[in-house]
Amino acid sequence: MSESSTQKQQITSPNKEFTPLYIWMGENSAVLVKLAVFTAALFALPIVTFFLTLHSLFEGNTTYAAGAAAVMANVIVILYVITAMLEKPKDEDSQKEKKTE
């Protein structure tokens, strides 16, 4: 057999079992909620920051208000990265052992 045909066989018949989508979503619901919250915050908070600081803090200067919105977007991204780093990793081996017991 040629090398490309063995690669095709490995790709089409992997040894891993696939979990159904509803089980995967149930196991990862906390991650999906976190992603949805940070996505909404990344959309809404910079816009709110821009309009709140435009007239109250910077007296109509759109450049400074846009800078404040950019800073807010960066703060949200940094917070997301920090929460992702502090998240405990999912140990698949221990979960498989619990299922077999």
Side-chain angles (χ1 to χ4, degrees):
M1 282 189 172
S2 68
E3 188 176 324
S4 63
S5 64
T6 57
Q7 287 177 351
K8 287 180 183 177
Q9 288 176 350
Q10 290 174 354
I11 291 172
T12 57
S13 59
N15 295 332
K16 287 181 95 176
E17 294 180 16
F18 292 105
T19 57
L21 182 62
Y22 67 92
I23 293 176
W24 181 86
M25 287 184 69
E27 291 174 351
N28 297 310
S29 62
V31 175
L32 294 174
V33 168
K34 185 186 305 181
L35 179 63
V37 167
F38 275 96
T39 300
L42 192 57
F43 175 75
L45 288 180
I47 296 171
V48 170
T49 302
F50 176 81
F51 286 109
L52 285 179
T53 60
L54 180 63
H55 296 293
S56 63
L57 190 60
F58 299 124
E59 299 174 0
N61 190 341
T62 57
T63 304
Y64 291 150
V71 168
M72 180 58 72
N74 285 316
V75 166
I76 295 167
V77 170
I78 290 168
L79 288 175
Y80 180 72
V81 169
I82 290 171
T83 56
M85 288 174 42
L86 294 178
E87 183 176 301
K88 293 181 181 179
K90 183 174 128 180
D91 190 15
E92 293 180 12
D93 297 331
S94 66
Q95 288 183 354
K96 287 180 182 177
E97 291 174 7
K98 289 179 184 178
K99 289 180 183 178
T100 58
E101 290 178 356

